């Protein structure tokens, strides 16, 4: 069996599987099925063509594998060269790289056809190598899918749990809105690092009755860990942080995000759970009582419709990048629709802000509304007035937030400010009783710990008094305060601790003290 020329098909699957595994926190396997099928079809078409030309299966398979390696590596090499400084940027041009790739293909094919080789041994070796490459990403994908299924199943297991909360008898519990603005930096960071005065926006929040925590920090530096903690109002088990990369720990963290104690406690009280589509599995509650999402067109598996975000990212990592960059010069019917994920992203963001203010307040109470809005985080797709902006490149799942002088970040921020105020005005005007509104970011902007952890925290409480709120609050204590104040909770305030990693990993977290904590003790 190992002597059959299977390696072209295995090598064709590997780039797709590797990208699925790398983005396992942000994409489900179903979004990559079409790519896996198309990769197999591409391998089959190339193999049949080579077989007709060469006339012998094993040499044709080797030529096919070479072609696939060149096709799937093109975009990676192109972008790697562009990051090598001035010389790399000068050489990272299709007019240079395409001839180089053609020469490699021609030279490699000549060697395969002309040089005497043991075709049987090479076929066996390539089969084994391709299969070995697939093992790790396949295991990672399987673990991620198991994590996701376990998180969803946790909701069913805990649906009969005893309620920990007991709201005052005879009183209707308030609606609770938890709105997460991804990557929104704190005012002092916006001023010092971006040169942006966010005071007018914060003043408008205060004028509407919000309490703004002046020196708030997030508990963790990533969305996944931050939401897991805030939605369960507890810290992760950091005595086991070396285990966070393992399946069991990832399942626990995923469960804390999707079926955390906040959601379970409110479901137990009869709250309707309303959730918005963020596009990220780490914060998309598809099993909510009401899941709100704009109509989507790019996630079909077998229909040749526009690309979803994963497919567009994969496409631009291959020689498909040539077609993307040359789209102006080719007919529209042949032009790859790599812009669809960006359009869908804009639609999701706009839909969330508009629906929060116009449709959700009229829903029956009590309700818990969870909206994780991926803005002002990349992609920087909005102008300050909400107009469409082309940030360049393809919508990706692993984008960074940008540098401290990013005009795109500030444009996104200006739009988010205006859209958030409109949504809040709609919520306040459309609610029959004053709601609780938590407007918060999961973390700050890209940068060192003092930038990354400096998040936005603003709160609207019925009655207008801040009560137990304080300037240096962290997300882990927010729902403890809300539940104690309105739903009969008896939770102690936890120490406000923030964790950061210079390497961006979960296994080397260090505590970052809040320098303002001493002067802001409530």
């Amino acid at each position: 069996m190992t002597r059959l020329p299977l390696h072209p098909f295995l090598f064709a699957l590997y780039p797709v599987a590797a990208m699925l595994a790398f983005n396992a926190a942000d994409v489900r396997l179903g979004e990559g099925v079409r790519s896996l099928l198309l990769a197999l079809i591409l391998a089959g078409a190339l193999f049949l063509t080579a077989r007709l030309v060469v006339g012998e299966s094993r040499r044709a398979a080797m030529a096919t594998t070479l072609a696939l390696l060149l096709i799937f590596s093109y975009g990676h090499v192109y972008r790697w060269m562009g990051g090598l400084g001035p010389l790399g940027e000068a050489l990272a041009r299709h007019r240079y790289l395409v001839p180089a790739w053609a020469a490699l293909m021609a030279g490699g094919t000549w060697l395969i056809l002309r040089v005497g080789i043991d075709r049987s041994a090479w076929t066996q070796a390539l089969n084994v190598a391709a299969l070995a490459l697939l093992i790790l990403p396949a295991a990672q994908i399987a673990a991620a899918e198991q994590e996701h299924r376990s998180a969803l199943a946790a909701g069913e297991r805990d649906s009969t749990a005893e309620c920990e909360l007991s709201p005052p008898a005879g009183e209707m519990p308030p609606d609770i809105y938890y709105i997460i603005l991804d990557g929104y930096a704190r005012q002092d960071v916006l001023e010092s690092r971006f040169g942006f005065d966010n005071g007018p926006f914060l003043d408008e929040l205060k004028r509407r009755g919000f309490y703004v925590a002046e020196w708030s920090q997030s508990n963790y530096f990533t969305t996944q860990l931050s939401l897991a903690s805030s939605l369960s109002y507890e810290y992760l088990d950091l005595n086991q942080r070396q285990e966070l990369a393992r399946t069991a720990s990832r399942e626990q963290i995923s469960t804390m995000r999707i079926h955390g104690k906040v959601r379970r406690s409110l479901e137990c009280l009869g709250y309707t759970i309303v959730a918005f589509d963020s596009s990220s599995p780490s914060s998309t509650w598809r099993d909510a009582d009401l899941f709100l999402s704009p109509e989507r067109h790019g996630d079909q598996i077998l229909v040749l419709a526009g690309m979803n975000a994963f497919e567009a990212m994969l496409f631009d990592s291959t020689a498909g990048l040539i077609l993307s960059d040359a789209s102006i010069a080719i007919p529209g019917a042949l032009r790859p629709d790599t812009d669809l994920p960006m359009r869908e992203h804009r639609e999701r963001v706009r839909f969330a802000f508009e629906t929060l203010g116009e449709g959700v307040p009229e829903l029956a109470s009590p309700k818990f509304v969870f909206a994780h809005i991926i803005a002002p985080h990349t992609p920087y797709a909005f102008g300050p007035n909400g107009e469409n902006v082309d940030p360049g490149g393809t919508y990706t799942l692993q984008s960074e937030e940008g540098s401290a002088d990013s005009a795109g970040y500030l444009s996104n921020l200006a739009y988010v400010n205006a859209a958030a105020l409109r949504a809040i005005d709609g919520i306040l005007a459309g609610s029959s009783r004053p709601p609780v509104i938590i407007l918060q970011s999961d973390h700050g902007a890209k940068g060192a710990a003092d930038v990354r952890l400096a998040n936005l925290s603003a709160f609207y409480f019925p009655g207008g008094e801040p009560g137990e709120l304080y300037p240096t609050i962290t997300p882990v204590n927010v729902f403890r305060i809300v539940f104690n104040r309105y739903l009969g909770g008896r939770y102690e305030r936890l120490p406000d601790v923030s964790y950061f990693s210079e390497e961006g990993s979960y296994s080397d977290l260090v505590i970052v003290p809040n320098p303002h904590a001493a002067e802001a003790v409530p």
Side-chain angles (χ1 to χ4, degrees):
M1 187 70 175
T2 56
R3 297 182 185 276
L4 292 175
L6 301 176
H7 52 88
F9 302 95
L10 299 175
F11 277 117
L13 291 175
Y14 173 75
V16 184
M19 191 164 284
L20 279 169
F22 184 74
N23 293 283
D26 297 296
V27 66
R28 296 270 62 82
L29 174 61
E31 296 180 61
V33 168
R34 185 166 61 174
S35 297
L36 292 167
L37 293 175
L38 290 175
L40 290 175
I41 291 171
L42 174 63
L46 290 175
F47 174 72
L48 290 176
T49 301
R51 178 69 176 78
L52 289 173
V53 173
V54 174
E56 197 273 323
S57 295
R58 290 174 180 171
R59 290 185 188 271
M62 294 172 66
T64 300
T65 291
L66 173 62
L68 289 168
L69 292 177
L70 291 172
I71 289 171
F72 281 107
S73 65
Y74 184 91
H76 293 290
V77 174
Y78 183 90
R79 299 192 188 285
W80 171 76
M81 290 178 63
L84 293 179
L87 179 59
E89 292 178 4
L91 294 176
R93 297 289 185 271
H94 295 304
R95 60 178 175 267
Y96 301 136
L97 202 55
V98 169
W101 249 232
L104 286 173
M105 185 66 205
T109 303
W110 182 86
L111 288 174
I112 291 169
L113 297 179
R114 299 300 180 187
V115 175
I117 57 175
D118 185 341
R119 287 167 287 174
S120 177
W122 270 92
T123 296
Q124 183 175 358
L126 288 170
N127 283 345
V128 171
L131 186 61
L133 276 177
L134 274 174
I135 291 175
L136 179 58
Q140 291 172 326
I141 294 168
E145 291 300 309
Q146 176 60 38
E147 168 196 335
H148 184 65
R149 288 192 296 270
S150 297
L152 293 178
E156 300 177 5
R157 292 196 302 268
D158 295 328
S159 60
T160 59
E162 183 179 353
C163 290
E164 295 182 356
L165 303 174
S166 54
E171 292 187 15
M172 171 70 77
D175 292 341
I176 301 174
Y177 289 78
Y178 192 32
I179 304 171
I180 300 293
L181 305 178
D182 201 304
Y184 196 115
R186 202 173 62 200
Q187 158 63 6
D188 57 316
V189 170
L190 290 172
E191 180 71 37
S192 62
R193 301 301 177 94
F194 289 78
F196 181 80
D197 180 12
N198 204 33
F201 171 68
L202 301 182
D203 289 341
E204 286 296 321
L205 289 178
K206 294 174 184 176
R207 189 174 67 81
R208 288 161 172 78
F210 276 76
Y211 173 84
V212 178
E214 185 178 7
W215 306 114
S216 64
Q217 284 193 172
S218 59
N219 297 109
Y220 297 95
F221 70 106
T222 70
T223 299
Q224 288 80 11
L225 299 186
S226 179
L227 290 183
S229 176
S230 64
L231 287 166
S232 290
Y233 45 91
E234 63 185 10
Y235 289 99
L236 307 178
D237 186 1
L238 293 179
N239 291 326
Q240 301 295 323
R241 64 180 181 269
Q242 297 288 344
E243 303 294 319
L244 286 176
R246 298 190 179 181
T247 302
S249 296
R250 292 202 312 268
E251 288 179 4
Q252 178 188 19
I253 294 169
S254 184
T255 300
M256 291 169 72
R257 289 193 304 267
I258 298 174
H259 285 283
K261 290 169 63 178
V262 168
R263 177 176 175 180
R264 298 201 313 270
S265 296
L266 294 175
E267 285 176 329
C268 192
L269 294 179
Y271 271 73
T272 297
I273 306 301
V274 181
F276 283 82
D277 183 7
S278 71
S279 80
S280 171
S282 65
S283 59
T284 295
W285 298 358
R286 293 189 179 275
D287 61 342
D289 297 315
L290 184 59
F291 179 70
L292 300 176
S293 176
E295 183 180 0
R296 298 184 64 193
H297 307 284
D299 55 358
Q300 297 93 334
I301 293 177
L302 298 177
V303 179
L304 293 179
M307 298 181 183
N308 61 39
F310 172 79
E311 291 168 339
M313 181 171 62
L314 176 67
F315 188 80
D316 269 12
S317 71
T318 71
L321 181 64
I322 302 168
L323 293 178
S324 294
D325 290 351
S327 60
I328 297 177
I330 61 179
L334 301 177
R335 191 176 303 162
D337 190 10
T338 56
D339 290 333
L340 179 61
M342 190 73 71
R343 298 198 303 272
E344 289 186 334
H345 167 73
R346 293 192 188 99
E347 189 177 2
R348 277 191 300 269
V349 171
R350 290 186 176 120
F351 174 83
F353 281 124
E354 292 168 3
T355 309
L356 277 169
E358 294 179 3
V360 171
E362 287 76 25
L363 298 174
S365 298
K367 55 183 173 286
F368 175 63
V369 182
F370 175 57
H372 174 207
I373 301 174
I374 304 183
H377 190 283
T378 50
Y380 301 142
F382 298 98
N385 298 312
E387 63 271 28
N388 292 348
V389 171
D390 182 7
T394 302
Y395 181 93
T396 65
L397 304 172
Q398 294 289 339
S399 299
E400 294 291 349
E401 287 87 330
S403 60
D405 60 352
S406 172
Y409 180 85
L410 297 181
S411 292
N412 263 15
L413 188 83
Y415 161 68
V416 166
N417 284 353
L421 289 176
R422 287 193 297 269
I424 289 167
D425 288 342
I427 293 170
L428 295 177
S431 298
S432 58
R433 298 176 63 250
V436 171
I437 304 175
I438 303 165
L439 186 68
Q440 198 167 53
S441 58
D442 47 352
H443 52 73
K446 178 188 177 183
D450 60 332
V451 174
R452 182 70 173 183
L453 295 172
N455 72 321
L456 169 72
S457 288
F459 311 90
Y460 180 90
F461 280 3
E465 294 297 327
E468 301 84 359
L469 296 172
Y470 50 98
T472 56
I473 191 171
T474 60
V476 75
N477 278 311
V478 169
F479 282 100
R480 290 173 174 266
I481 292 173
V482 170
F483 287 175
N484 289 351
R485 181 163 178 167
Y486 297 105
L487 299 176
R490 292 182 173 83
Y491 299 106
E492 295 182 359
R493 172 182 153 186
L494 298 179
D496 290 297
V497 182
S498 298
Y499 294 92
F500 182 75
S501 168
E502 290 286 352
E503 300 299 324
S505 73
Y506 296 171
S507 61
D508 60 352
L509 298 172
V510 296
I511 294 177
V512 179
N514 189 327
H516 304 281
E519 62 191 73
V521 175

